[in-house]
Amino acid sequence: MSGRGLTMRGTGDTTAYLRRGIREIICLALFFFTFLTCEYLFDVRIAEFVPSSEVVIYESIVVGASVIGFFVRPFLYYRRPQTIDATSDITGVLLVSALLLMIMAVRFEVLIAGGLVACCALGYCGSTAHANFARRFARTPCLARAAALSYAMGVLVQVLNHMVMPAGIPQQAVLVVCAIAQVASLHGARRAKLRDESDPSFEPSAAGLSVDALEYGAKWQDDPKAKAAFRRAVVRLTIATAYLSGVFAALNAGLTTLHATGAVDLGDWPRLLLVVSSLAAGVLFDLHGRSYMNIGMTCAAMLSTLSFFVLIIDGNGGNELAATTIFYLGSGFFVVFFTTKYAAVSLYARWSYFWPCMGRVVNNVCSMLVTAPAVAIISSQNVLAAVGAALVMFVGIAITLLGQLGRRADDVVMQDGLPLATDDLGADLASACPDPEPVEAAELTSDERLDAFVATFGLTERERDILEVLVVSDQSVQDIATTLFLSRSTLYRHISSINKKAGTASRVALINFFWSWTPKD
């Protein structure tokens, strides 16, 4: 596919992209809701057994256990695919059972066991939800907005559940029901994918991939120079995420401790700030080819670090309110940041299924490591230690996030027909790729190209409608058939007819030919 074709497809309507990916958005939103609500439930229950200063310590350990689930799912996907269905069923049962165990636990050990199992199961589900989301949106111009919408929906459901539903069993019932819905939706997505793949006419683009990210990543990383550039970019992104996680983990430690003592309620109105900040981050981060992501995230991190000082010098309730407000405004930016960045990274990785959830993995691991020192600093009111920690984080964030501001982040280079955005992976990737060929000044619009193609190859009006959807859509075959009010078999017959007239052999070849075809004068 030519660079021009990819550019045309990248400027599609945002609403259409979001509508086609609504299933992936909802699956990811369900994960965010169940994960955040499970964490909140654990905080409330563990406070019944331990002092308030220890609540966040146990929370960080339990949440850190989710990393196991995040790693297990990609491993099975690539190494033991025949076990995925059975493992997914077992995971769903374990998740619901662990949540019920947390709800009904009357002993400390039982509560800890329930929390560990629940978070491991949620990590498994979250890995799948993130991977499906990345495959749908990583190539679109609205990646950050889609991530923001998922997170905002998950948080909003949590807020409504906490504010509208009576405390206790009703709220807990909503959590269990949503956990079941999450598992069912992920199972449904997998079965739909398997049905498509089992169809004799299945092509990779029918799964919403255009060019399968896994196959491309393996091919692209055969180039030693590009492979080294990829590694440098990922290391830089991971270090940045780790530093940012340290900032927000320290704040979370202080606020969770206050929540356990009853000084603030983190399950009520403050979480609405997460909805606002995540949606604002989605809009800001997508501007000009995501060229404002690094600077926007840096500003949010600096403000959040200031709120950590507010907690250290706390002398009245107003400081707690200010710290809570700043924390939640910054947290929305951070979640959208690492979700978007690692989804983009997955396009270039050999194990594309593994990378979309890596932002959450790094965040959870760093939170587990930072929480205890942060609690110690807050408890001791040691301003000097707080200043030292803040300086280390400031330097790390500046080096990793602001080091590329001198380059145009919205420049896109091409390799084998795939766009590489320098903002998502850093300038190293751009330097590892050949310079793009200049694009001709005179460029056909999508409609002009379509009209010329139809006239040249003698397509019918119905074939024109089908071709119009095929060349701009990342939907599955079933979704395209539903959109056009056709059966799958009828859609395949029309595609076969178009292929015959255009002289192409498959749907992928047809799409590639359409965007590379040049009308004759």
Side-chain angles (χ1 to χ4, degrees):
M1 188 182 296
S2 70
R4 290 176 292 173
L6 282 166
T7 302
M8 289 182 185
R9 297 181 68 187
T11 57
D13 181 70
T14 298
T15 303
Y17 281 122
L18 296 175
R19 186 174 60 251
R20 289 196 296 268
I22 190 64
R23 182 172 62 187
E24 288 78 11
I25 290 175
I26 292 175
C27 285
L28 190 57
L30 284 171
F31 164 74
F32 285 132
F33 169 76
T34 51
F35 193 88
L36 293 173
T37 307
C38 177
E39 182 181 353
Y40 180 81
L41 172 64
F42 181 82
D43 290 345
V44 173
R45 292 304 321 277
I46 199 67
E48 301 172 11
F49 299 94
V50 301
S52 58
S53 59
E54 298 179 14
V55 169
V56 70
I57 304 296
Y58 287 104
E59 176 206 283
S60 66
I61 295 173
V62 168
V63 170
S66 64
V67 173
I68 298 173
F70 281 120
F71 282 144
V72 167
R73 185 60 166 80
F75 175 82
L76 293 178
Y77 183 85
Y78 289 108
R79 300 302 187 192
R80 299 288 186 273
Q82 69 277 9
T83 66
I84 285 182
D85 286 335
T87 308
S88 298
D89 292 337
I90 293 172
T91 300
V93 173
L94 287 176
L95 174 57
V96 175
S97 300
L99 291 175
L100 294 176
L101 200 62
M102 289 174 59
I103 292 170
M104 298 183 295
V106 294
R107 295 180 56 187
F108 170 78
E109 296 81 1
V110 175
L111 178 60
I112 292 294
L116 290 172
V117 174
C119 284
C120 285
L122 284 170
Y124 184 96
C125 296
S127 176
T128 306
H130 279 83
N132 292 344
F133 173 85
R135 289 194 172 206
R136 173 63 67 180
F137 287 104
R139 292 176 180 275
T140 69
C142 59
L143 173 59
R145 279 168 287 180
L149 184 59
S150 293
Y151 188 65
M153 288 171 61
V155 173
L156 186 59
V157 173
Q158 184 191 21
V159 172
L160 293 177
N161 182 41
H162 191 268
M163 297 180 68
V164 176
M165 299 297 291
I169 298 300
Q171 292 183 8
Q172 295 160 358
V174 172
L175 170 59
V176 174
V177 169
C178 287
I180 295 173
Q182 176 186 213
V183 174
S185 63
L186 293 174
H187 280 8
R190 173 162 174 77
R191 292 189 184 102
K193 182 175 182 292
L194 291 175
R195 283 197 301 271
D196 276 346
E197 291 176 348
S198 63
D199 192 294
S201 303
F202 171 79
E203 298 161 5
S205 61
L209 300 176
S210 296
V211 178
D212 183 77
L214 171 62
E215 294 179 359
Y216 178 80
K219 176 183 177 182
W220 180 74
Q221 289 211 353
D222 286 339
D223 182 351
K225 186 176 180 181
K227 187 175 181 178
F230 175 82
R231 287 177 175 174
R232 288 194 298 271
V234 169
V235 168
R236 186 165 56 247
L237 173 58
T238 301
I239 293 174
T241 304
Y243 276 116
L244 291 167
S245 297
V247 172
F248 291 100
L251 275 171
N252 181 66
L255 293 174
T256 301
T257 301
L258 293 174
H259 173 76
T261 63
V264 294
D265 185 358
L266 300 183
D268 223 335
W269 67 266
R271 289 188 180 268
L272 289 174
L273 297 174
L274 281 174
V275 177
V276 175
S277 62
S278 59
L279 292 175
V283 174
L284 174 63
F285 288 167
D286 271 337
L287 290 177
H288 300 291
R290 298 197 287 274
S291 59
Y292 299 128
M293 284 193 73
N294 289 357
I295 186 64
M297 190 64 247
T298 303
C299 293
M302 289 180 177
L303 289 174
S304 297
T305 307
L306 291 178
S307 67
F308 182 65
F309 286 107
V310 171
L311 286 178
I312 295 296
I313 63 174
D314 180 37
N316 55 67
N319 287 339
E320 296 168 359
L321 177 62
T324 302
T325 301
I326 296 173
F327 168 70
Y328 278 119
L329 288 175
S331 294
F333 273 75
F334 180 44
V335 174
V336 176
F337 173 83
F338 69 67
T339 303
T340 301
K341 285 283 190 176
Y342 279 99
V345 163
S346 67
L347 281 176
Y348 311 99
R350 187 180 298 273
W351 277 32
S352 61
Y353 200 100
F354 171 78
W355 287 97
C357 65
M358 274 301 294
R360 179 62 60 179
V361 169
V362 173
N363 177 66
N364 290 354
V365 171
C366 291
S367 296
M368 187 168 54
L369 298 175
V370 168
T371 295
V375 170
I377 292 174
I378 293 172
S379 300
S380 65
Q381 300 289 295
N382 192 328
V383 177
L384 183 61
V387 170
L391 287 176
V392 171
M393 289 186 286
F394 271 137
V395 171
I397 291 169
I399 292 174
T400 54
L401 288 184
L402 302 183
Q404 302 299 323
L405 288 184
R407 302 175 183 268
R408 282 181 52 84
D410 57 346
D411 284 344
V412 176
V413 296
M414 304 295 299
Q415 176 166 313
D416 294 336
L418 187 70
L420 303 179
T422 60
D423 177 61
D424 284 329
L425 295 178
D428 286 336
L429 285 180
S431 63
C433 302
D435 293 332
E437 296 181 1
V439 177
E440 297 176 8
E443 185 65 67
L444 290 176
T445 66
S446 181
D447 287 340
E448 290 172 343
R449 175 178 290 272
L450 184 63
D451 290 337
F453 193 91
V454 168
T456 301
F457 296 100
L459 305 187
T460 66
E461 188 65 27
R462 191 53 167 163
E463 289 170 347
R464 182 193 190 281
D465 294 338
I466 292 170
L467 179 63
E468 183 176 14
V469 176
L470 285 177
V471 297
V472 298
S473 175
D474 285 330
Q475 290 177 292
S476 67
V477 171
Q478 182 59 57
D479 290 341
I480 293 176
T482 301
T483 300
L484 296 171
F485 302 101
L486 297 173
S487 67
R488 284 165 59 94
S489 59
T490 301
L491 177 60
Y492 281 129
R493 285 199 300 271
H494 282 299
I495 294 175
S496 177
S497 175
I498 298 172
N499 279 327
K500 184 177 181 180
K501 293 178 180 179
T504 52
S506 67
R507 180 186 170 194
V508 172
L510 174 63
I511 295 172
N512 290 344
F513 177 60
F514 176 84
W515 289 115
S516 61
W517 175 75
T518 302
K520 295 181 180 180
D521 295 333

